[in-house]
């Protein structure tokens, strides 16, 4: 756990003060928990009224042990506290921690300025491997919004874990196997020709797929034909394999284009078909462990005890299934990255039962094989689920039905951004590149704008405003901070008079800067890039209060003024905020334009 620096300092100082204030009792109970810094750290709360200090510690729980009343205890302990960066004040039964604003400003701002993009780096993950699977679109189908959300959350988690010192392995697991390829093959044989695989091939494939489903309603033999075609594929028959490979090439090219646009990276692409030779050994292992049975000709694992439907490993015709591949994949990943710390699957919540089933089967397998608890993978594997993306405003439907094509979304977002820039800043030098950063940034940010388990309401009017809680707003704030630095025209130094940053507005900004490392650690721990999103919005909001502050005469209290020491101090804050917004946007997967 990465701790908040000042909170931790205060907890340690308070623990020490308890020991000094009550030496006899301390001698009696020794290193008892109640006097431990960690326990005090956990007990620290934020006072509702900020004028009561940054955090407060209630001493009531010591009444019995110390045989004194709370105010007495608080007074004694406060008096014994020696804390270099602040004070401890007894108020009734509480110890209120007040951080010395000047010391805090100095500590935080100089740390941010010296560490730059490394501020918030940690070594909590040293020597540990975290696998993060994300995106995993289905081949021969368009890249939809659901896969976008997985892509964006996972890509951010990979960056967060790297920052926290983990070996992070980003995995893409494209769906390129299964009965739907039997359908595609049949559809192609019936209605496709050479032109299907050229031009806008992905849309052509979608059209075929949709047509298949329409026709299958009328013609029940189609499904038999497609089962057969999938069998041909599983048996490696040349014509079927050739078609499948053509579908795959088309989709891969499209996927790569999308990833390049979004700036998304993977360390390992392991598609479903890569598990073809790994299913049989996995099935054998499950059989040996006595987990499988035959039910209506199919090979299954029953999970009644867990109140889950059985997992189908093989159909009567011998065809393998989605779950068969995931089980083989779980075993494969554990073999390839032995004793990984975490293996995450960033997949829509609709698949919760599927992951519960797979993980239960693995748990049963590890149990049956008597694998020691600390050598099991089950507790380290996690389905990182997320909600739906809904289109509230303009719905974009393709000819093929209600699928929203990500590429259309991105190009529309970029167009909108281009129009905005032409309005606001017609002289911008690199308007085209900036429009891309903003358009794509808006789309990415929209996916991280709420906690991951909540649904995203995607509205054009909302995601692209420069004023709301949006990606463009943060990018705009960043650009403004860069422009201030250009106007200042001098090097920003941490060697300033920190007393000049003790205003409430500045202090709020500095508190948020101080909290950034903890927020990153929490996002990693709870698989929640949204924590960073929310923190950046708070930071930008707090900084805007400094920026827009008025003096007694109602004039804007300018950052850059004739007062050189004051300007230097404020510019140190400006640069710190700019660097943190830059780093935060980077962790979310957005670019931070210097001008816009
Ligand atoms: N390709 C699947 C789909 O689009 C998602 C794969 C999720 N990952 C996994 N290991 N099952 O529904």
């Amino acid at each position: 756990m990465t701790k908040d620096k000042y909170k931790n300092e205060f907890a340690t100082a308070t623990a020490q003060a308890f020991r000094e204030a009550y030496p006899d009792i301390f001698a009696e109970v020794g290193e008892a928990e109640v006097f431990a810094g960690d326990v005090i750290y956990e007990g620290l709360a934020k006072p509702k009224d900020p004028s009561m200090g940054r955090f407060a510690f209630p001493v009531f729980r010591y009444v019995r042990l110390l045989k004194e009343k709370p105010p007495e205890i608080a007074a004694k302990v406060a008096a014994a506290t020696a804390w270099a960066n602040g004070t401890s004040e007894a108020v009734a039964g509480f110890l209120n921690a007040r951080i010395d604003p000047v010391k805090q400003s100095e500590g935080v701002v100089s740390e941010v300025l010296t560490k730059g993009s490394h501020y918030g780096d940690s070594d909590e993950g040293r020597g540990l491997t975290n696998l993060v699977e994300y995106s995993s679109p289905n081949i021969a189908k368009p890249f939809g919004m659901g896969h976008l959300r997985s892509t964006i959350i996972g890509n951010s988690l990979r960056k967060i874990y790297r920052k926290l010192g983990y070996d992070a392995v980003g995995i893409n697991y494209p769906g390129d196997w299964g009965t739907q390829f039997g359908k595609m093959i049949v559809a192609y044989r019936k209605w496709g020709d050479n032109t299907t695989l050229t031009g806008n091939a992905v849309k052509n494939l979608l059209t075929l797929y949709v047509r298949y489903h329409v026709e299958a309603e009328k013609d029940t033999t189609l499904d038999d034909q497609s089962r057969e075609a999938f069998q041909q594929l599983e048996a490696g028959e040349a014509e079927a394999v050739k078609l499948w490979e053509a579908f795959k090439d088309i989709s891969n090219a499209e996927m790569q284009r999308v990833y390049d646009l979004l700036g998304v990276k993977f360390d390992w692409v392991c598609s479903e078909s890569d598990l073809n030779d790994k299913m049989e050994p996995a099935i054998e292992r499950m059989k040996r462990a006595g987990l499988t049975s035959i039910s209506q000709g199919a090979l299954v694992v029953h999970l009644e005890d867990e109140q889950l439907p059985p997992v189908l490993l093989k159909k009567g015709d011998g065809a393998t299934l989605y779950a068969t591949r995931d089980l083989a994949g779980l075993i494969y990943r554990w073999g390839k990255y032995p004793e990984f710390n975490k293996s995450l699957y960033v997949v829509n919540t609709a698949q919760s039962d599927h992951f519960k089933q797979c993980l239960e089967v693995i748990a049963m397998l590890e149990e049956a094989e008597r694998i020691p608890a600390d050598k099991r993978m089950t507790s380290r594997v996690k389905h990182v689920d997320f909600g739906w993306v809904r289109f509230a405003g303009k719905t974009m439907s393709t000819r093929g039905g209600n699928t929203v094509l990500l590429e259309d979304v991105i190009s529309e977002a970029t167009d909108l951004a281009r129009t905005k820039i032409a309005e606001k800043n017609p002289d911008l030098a690199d308007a085209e590149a900036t429009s891309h950063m903003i358009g794509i940034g808006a789309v990415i940010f929209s996916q991280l704008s709420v906690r991951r388990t909540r649904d995203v309401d995607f509205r054009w009017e909302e995601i692209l405003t420069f004023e709301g809680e949006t990606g463009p707003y943060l990018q705009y704030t960043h650009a403004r901070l860069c422009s201030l630095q250009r106007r200042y025209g001098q090097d920003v130094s941490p060697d300033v008079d920190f007393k000049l940053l003790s205003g409430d507005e500045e202090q709020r900004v500095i508190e948020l800067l101080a909290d950034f490392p903890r927020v990153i650690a929490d996002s990693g721990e709870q698989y929640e890039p949204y924590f960073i999103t929310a923190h950046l919005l708070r930071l930008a909001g707090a900084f805007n209060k400094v920026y827009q502050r008025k003096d007694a005469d109602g004039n804007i209290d300018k950052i850059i003024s004739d007062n050189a020491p004051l300007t230097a101090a404020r510019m140190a804050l400006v640069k710190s905020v700019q660097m943190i917004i830059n780093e935060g946007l980077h962790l979310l997967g957005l670019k931070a334009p210097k001008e816009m």
Side-chain angles (χ1 to χ4, degrees), residues 70-191:
E72 277 170 67
I73 300 175
K76 275 195 199 165
V77 175
T81 303
W83 176 26
N85 283 320
T87 57
S88 182
E89 247 169 62
V91 178
F94 289 88
L95 292 165
N96 288 349
R98 250 179 240 288
I99 301 172
D100 178 327
V102 178
K103 290 206 172 119
Q104 157 157 284
S105 306
E106 178 166 6
V108 174
V109 171
S110 22
E111 193 182 341
V112 174
L113 289 179
T114 38
K115 291 192 177 159
S117 64
H118 290 294
Y119 179 72
D121 284 8
S122 115
D123 56 8
E124 72 163 63
R126 189 182 298 157
L128 301 173
T129 302
N130 279 356
L131 312 187
V132 188
E133 186 210 289
Y134 47 96
S135 198
S136 310
N138 291 324
I139 299 294
K141 282 199 201 158
F143 198 111
M145 294 303 279
H147 292 113
L148 171 69
R149 199 153 180 217
S150 163
T151 308
I152 299 305
I153 294 174
N155 188 55
S156 174
L157 288 175
R158 172 180 178 267
K159 290 180 193 246
I160 291 169
Y161 290 131
R162 297 207 153 188
K163 187 160 180 77
L164 295 172
Y166 293 89
D167 246 321
V169 183
I171 304 176
N172 192 2
Y173 180 67
D176 65 350
W177 206 251
T179 43
Q180 72 268 31
F181 290 94
K183 295 178 186 172
M184 285 305 303
I185 290 169
V186 169
Y188 182 82
R189 283 176 187 155
K190 286 196 182 302
W191 311 298

Side-chain angles (χ1 to χ4, degrees), residues 131 285 328-340 377:
L131 312 187
R285 210 174 133 188
L330 278 154
I331 293 171
Y332 183 36
R333 290 179 196 182
W334 183 240
K336 192 169 155 93
Y337 297 97
E339 301 195 22
F340 53 61
M377 75 166 108

